[in-house]
């Protein structure tokens, strides 16, 4: 929506301006400001009223880009109403600015489209609430740094003082304050005369003006000001704001600024430039894709390691919710990473629905059933699900370790980590990366500068736009912090490689690529506003398809070495990896994983039900090198001793066919804590439970096996603890969701119908009610009019009282009249309804053809 022709009749109110819009323009307004839809306005007047409420206006201002906001700020200090030429002069100054001239129609169109500005180009008006938020006042300076006008500053000043100022400025005295203010304003806005007056000012006076010209425009003065300040006061260039405060009038400041409302207009969004190291990968996107694919594979391994570590039940949930600092440190040590990065992986698993609290009395974290399903998917699909969860999540792991508004520490998996803008920022950062040529990494500072231009107010937390701007101008606002974290997390997750967006990262944005690259695209609410259901292939599937060829194929073999280690030169097939994880301990990770065989790890495999022959066959099948003799001897030695001792529940007992071994155990001082005593030559009883007895004897170097009540060896396997089915945490929406086209169409129809009902001219009813609130007619006249309308297909005006006694006025188009009921299309409700005739108070024909 651009400009309105100057010759057209200007609307008198915002409602009248909205009433001139077509359905597409109304739908665009509701799409840009979805909070206006809850609930659907009854008519255009209610829509205009809601569009002017403070909360809705603040939300709309927060979604403006910097130049659109500067345009609104300039209008707030312009006369009301202001011609287009005046607005252009405030933004471009006396010398003009081609960039401003080119960008102003778009910015004004944005303000008009969002119902923040209305009127034709000859009479531009800000919505009253917008003017209240952006215009200067004694308690809240304008973002432009301008102060009040001469008329506002001299309000209440004595007529004699005004005449003194006129005389000092060389102007003719007048007979009334109004003409005096007009004469002084005319002087300050006349470039030639104002320049001549300033030429006579002391140089120190010009220095004082220089300090106030760009704001704040207020300054303190003493009872006896210095001569330069006194000269400025005498000539009206500094006017009293309070007994000890003076203000620089707006007209004087604009003259000194060369007519500009802003020191630096920013009509053009800052470009996202390549990083200094981008030349290393530019033109070689395959390097970026390979690097990102390696990171993606590492991400999968890290998430699997984390959840495997919590396979039998993870750490306890704190009473206040979340993970304790000690448990986070343990997770970081297990993943061989820092605490902040460990928190990222934990939150990622939680966002993907792979991790949750089990909900038991002693609540602990554990993998969910969805984790087992996730493990069965191909690696590329597993990564795409993780990346998609990261892209849309509003939980922000970068906040962990900080404090909330009440000074409480923010913990991993704890409350208060949701930031509704996080998903939008994350998506927008990737969109900006996608604009660069393939394989080009961006300069992070240019990305942050672009985001600040697109949403200059979003970093604020104040109650109004100015407070929001003050907060946004702080050291680092939330959007910039989230953007910086996004660049780091995208590299860690494998969405980017060497700082550049990868092919599978680009596919993650959807089949249409970025949601937009211009300033208008930045106002799209929500990360997925550019896509609707069924609008193309699933981005998760696209990302998986792009990544799949880049991932290494899983191997079915390892390399056994004589030092009791096995080297996996790449990712292993899942059955091989799971069995090897039981038979050996992971010693190191990297491009190749090194496993070490120990007596404890071999015993673990035997406890899991494997026999020595099974282990020999397994190693021979999956090793590309001969099985070393030391490893074969280790397996045979542990297997020979495994199960020689049997432990069962008495409280616990030990039985062994070799009574000499039992004598050794009893004689060993380390067994005293188990409180053993002999029951028979081959049986010892213990006060400890079977589990403690097993651990105690194993710590002494024996290899006992647990047995059942029937005397059979118990096979022990890792207990897979799972939570009940859990859904992933829902992202916290950043305001109302963007309505789909169906809802927008229905809402526009309902508003039009309600507006018709509220504004259509009606013929006088045969028996008008005394207060004129509802049409009144006799039962016979009501029936005849309704039947006639049903036959002709015309619309009529009715008064209706429902079963609760609530009265309303409606415009209906009757379709059928029978059995004491009328079935009609209700224009007010935008649906077909049935009304009992006895509840219709009366009918009246519409003045025109309203059908």
């Amino acid at each position: 929506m651009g400009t309105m022709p100057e010759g057209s009749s200007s609307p008198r109110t915002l409602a009248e301006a909205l009433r001139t819009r077509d359905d597409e323009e109304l739908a665009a307004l509701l799409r840009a400001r979805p909070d206006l839809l809850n609930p659907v306005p009854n008519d255009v007047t209610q829509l205009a009223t809601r569009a002017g409420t403070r909360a809705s206006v603040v939300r709309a201002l927060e979604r403006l880009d910097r130049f659109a906001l500067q345009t609104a700020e300039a209008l707030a200090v312009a006369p009301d109403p202001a011609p287009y030429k005046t607005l252009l002069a405030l933004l471009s100054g006396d010398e003009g600015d081609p960039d401003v001239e080119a960008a102003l129609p778009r910015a004004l169109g944005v303000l008009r489209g969002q119902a923040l500005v209305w009127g034709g180009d000859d009479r531009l008006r800000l919505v009253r609430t917008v003017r209240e938020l952006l215009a200067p006042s004694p308690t809240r300076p304008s973002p432009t740094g301008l102060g009040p006008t001469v008329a506002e500053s001299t309000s209440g000043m004595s007529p004699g003082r005004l005449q003194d100022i006129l005389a000092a400025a060389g102007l003719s005295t007048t007979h009334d304050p109004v003409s005096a203010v007009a004469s002084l304003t005319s002087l300050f806005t006349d470039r030639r005369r104002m320049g001549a007056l300033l030429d006579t000012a002391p140089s120190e006076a010009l220095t004082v003006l220089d300090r106030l010209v760009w704001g704040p425009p207020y300054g303190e003065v003493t009872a006896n000001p210095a001569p330069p300040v006194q000269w400025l006061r005498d000539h009206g260039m500094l006017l009293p704001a309070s007994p000890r405060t003076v203000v620089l009038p707006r007209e004087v400041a604009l003259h000194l600024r060369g007519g500009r409302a802003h020191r630096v207009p920013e009509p053009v969004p800052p470009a996202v430039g390549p990083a200094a190291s981008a030349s290393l990968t530019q033109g070689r996107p395959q390097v970026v894709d390979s690097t990102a694919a390696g990171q993606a594979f590492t991400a999968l391994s890290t998430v699997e390691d984390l959840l495997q570590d919590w396979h039998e039940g993870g750490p306890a949930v704190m009473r206040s919710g979340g993970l304790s600092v000690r448990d986070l440190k343990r997770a970081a040590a297990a993943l061989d990473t820092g605490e902040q990065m460990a928190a990222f992986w934990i939150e990622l698993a939680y966002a993907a629905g792979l991790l949750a609290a089990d909900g038991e009395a002693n609540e602990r974290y554990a993998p969910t059933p969805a984790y087992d399903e996730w493990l069965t998917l191909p690696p590329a699909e597993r990564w795409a699900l993780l990346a998609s969860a990261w892209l849309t999540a509003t939980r922000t792991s970068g906040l962990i370790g900080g404090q909330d508004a009440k000074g409480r520490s923010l913990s991993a998996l704890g409350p208060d980590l949701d930031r509704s803008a996080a998903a939008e920022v994350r998506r927008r950062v990737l969109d900006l990366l996608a604009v660069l040529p393939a394989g080009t990494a961006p300069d992070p500072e240019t990305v942050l500068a672009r985001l600040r231009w697109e949403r200059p107010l979003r970093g604020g937390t104040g109650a109004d736009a100015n407070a929001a701007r003050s907060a946004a101008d702080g050291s680092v606002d939330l959007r910039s912090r989230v953007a910086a974290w996004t660049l780091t997390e995208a590299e860690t997750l494998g969405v980017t490689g060497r700082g550049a967006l990868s092919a599978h990262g680009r596919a993650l944005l959807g089949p249409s690529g970025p949601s937009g690259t211009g300033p208008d695209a930045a106002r799209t609410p929500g990360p997925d506003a550019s896509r609707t259901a069924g609008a193309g292939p699933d981005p998760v599937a696209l990302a998986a398809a792009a990544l799949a060829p880049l991932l290494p194929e899983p191997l079915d073999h390892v390399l056994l070495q004589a030092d009791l280690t096995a080297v996996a030169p790449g990712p292993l097939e899942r059955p091989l990896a799971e069995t090897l994880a039981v038979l050996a301990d992971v010693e190191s990770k990297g491009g190749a994983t090194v496993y070490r065989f120990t007596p404890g790890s071999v015993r673990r495999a035997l406890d899991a039900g494997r026999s020595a022959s099974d282990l020999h066959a397994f190693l021979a099948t999956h090793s590309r090198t001969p099985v070393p003799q030391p490893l074969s001897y280790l397996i045979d030695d542990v297997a020979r001793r495994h199960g020689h001792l049997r432990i069962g529940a008495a409280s616990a007992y030990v039985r062994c066919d070799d009574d000499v071994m039992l004598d050794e155990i009893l004689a060993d001082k380390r067994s005293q804590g188990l409180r053993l005593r002999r029951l028979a030559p081959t049986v010892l009883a213990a006060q400890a439970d079977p589990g403690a007895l097993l651990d105690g004897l194993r710590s002494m170097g024996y290899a006992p096996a647990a047995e059942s009540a029937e005397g059979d060896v118990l096979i022990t396997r890792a207990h897979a603890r799972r939570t009940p089915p859990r859904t992933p945490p829902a992202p916290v929406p950043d305001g109302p969701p963007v309505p789909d086209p169906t809802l927008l169409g229905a809402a526009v129809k309902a508003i039009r119908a309600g507006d018709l009902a509220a504004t259509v001219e009606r013929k006088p009813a045969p028996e008008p009610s005394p207060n004129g609130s509802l049409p009144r007619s006799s039962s016979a006249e009501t029936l005849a009019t309704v039947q006639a309308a049903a036959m002709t297909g015309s619309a009529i005006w009715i008064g209706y009282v429902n079963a609760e006694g609530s009265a309303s006025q409606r415009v209906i188009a009757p379709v059928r009249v029978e059995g004491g009921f009328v079935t009609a299309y209700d224009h007010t409700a935008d649906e077909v309804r049935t009304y009992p005739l006895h509840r219709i108070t009366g009918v009246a024909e519409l003045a025109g053809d309203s059908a």
Side-chain angles (χ1 to χ4, degrees), residues 743-756:
L743 176 58
L744 283 176
V748 170
K749 284 185 179 179
I751 293 172
R752 294 288 192 205
D755 207 46
L756 172 66

Side-chain angles (χ1 to χ4, degrees), residues 61 63-74 106-108 110-111 134 266 453 523:
L61 289 176
R63 293 187 171 276
L64 294 178
D65 62 61
R66 189 173 295 280
F67 188 62
L69 184 62
Q70 286 182 332
T71 303
E73 292 166 351
R106 181 203 65 83
L108 192 57
V110 169
L111 296 175
L134 298 180
E266 299 182 59
W453 186 91
R523 284 181 293 278

Side-chain angles (χ1 to χ4, degrees), residues 17-277:
L18 293 179
R19 204 165 274 125
T20 63
R21 299 189 180 191
D22 57 28
D23 289 355
E24 184 177 345
E25 290 171 331
L26 277 184
L29 168 61
L30 297 176
R31 187 183 302 110
R33 298 176 64 178
D35 57 295
L36 302 180
L37 268 177
N38 189 22
V40 176
N42 292 333
D43 51 37
V44 172
T45 300
Q46 190 177 89
L47 174 63
T49 302
R50 194 177 297 172
T53 58
R54 187 182 185 88
S56 181
V57 166
V58 168
R59 179 180 293 276
L61 289 176
E62 287 179 343
R63 293 187 171 276
L64 294 178
D65 62 61
R66 189 173 295 280
F67 188 62
L69 184 62
Q70 286 182 332
T71 303
E73 292 166 351
L75 272 175
V77 297
D80 186 29
Y84 183 87
K85 293 180 180 179
T86 299
L87 174 62
L88 177 60
L90 284 171
L91 288 168
S92 60
D94 296 342
E95 298 179 357
D97 187 329
D99 290 337
V100 169
E101 293 179 15
L104 183 56
R106 181 203 65 83
L108 192 57
V110 169
L111 296 175
R112 275 199 179 114
Q114 298 197 25
L116 301 174
V117 170
W118 56 278
D121 282 356
D122 56 336
R123 296 177 62 84
L124 294 171
R125 291 181 180 271
L126 270 179
V127 171
R128 178 177 55 83
T129 310
V130 180
R131 182 171 292 276
E132 292 174 354
L133 290 171
L134 298 180
S137 72
T139 58
R140 185 181 58 244
S142 167
T144 61
L146 292 170
T149 62
V150 170
E152 294 167 344
S153 301
T154 57
S155 176
M157 183 179 290
S158 66
R161 175 69 180 130
L162 277 173
Q163 299 306 321
D164 291 342
I165 293 175
L166 292 181
L171 300 174
S172 302
T173 58
T174 64
H175 299 287
D176 62 278
V178 174
S179 58
V181 169
S183 179
L184 193 60
T185 301
S186 176
L187 168 64
F188 290 163
T189 54
D190 188 314
R191 294 286 188 266
R192 182 185 59 80
R193 289 194 295 157
M194 187 62 176
L197 180 60
L198 287 174
D199 288 341
T200 66
S203 59
E204 295 85 353
L206 298 179
T207 303
V208 173
L209 293 178
D210 288 341
R211 290 200 298 265
L212 300 177
V213 64
W214 290 109
Y218 295 90
E220 293 186 3
V221 294
T222 61
N224 296 309
V229 175
Q230 187 61 49
W231 188 93
L232 293 172
R233 293 184 63 178
D234 292 342
H235 291 76
M237 296 186 193
L238 291 180
L239 294 173
S242 70
R244 291 188 173 273
T245 307
V246 292
V247 64
L248 180 68
R250 187 181 307 169
E251 292 84 353
V252 177
L254 285 173
H255 173 82
L256 297 172
R257 295 178 177 194
R260 286 182 296 158
H262 297 86
R263 185 192 292 265
V264 182
E266 299 182 59
V268 180
V272 177
S277 59

Side-chain angles (χ1 to χ4, degrees), residues 459-539:
T461 57
D464 56 38
N466 289 303
R469 180 160 198 155
S470 298
D473 289 337
S475 56
V476 182
D477 61 76
L478 178 63
R479 285 176 61 85
S480 295
R481 294 166 65 196
V482 173
W485 293 332
T486 297
L487 293 173
T488 301
E489 292 168 359
E491 188 75 13
T492 303
L493 190 55
V495 177
T496 60
R498 299 193 179 186
L501 190 64
S502 63
H504 45 278
R506 199 176 297 267
L508 192 65
L509 299 178
S512 58
S515 60
T517 58
D520 291 330
R523 284 181 293 278
T524 303
D528 296 315
S530 63
R531 297 195 305 268
T532 57
D538 182 11

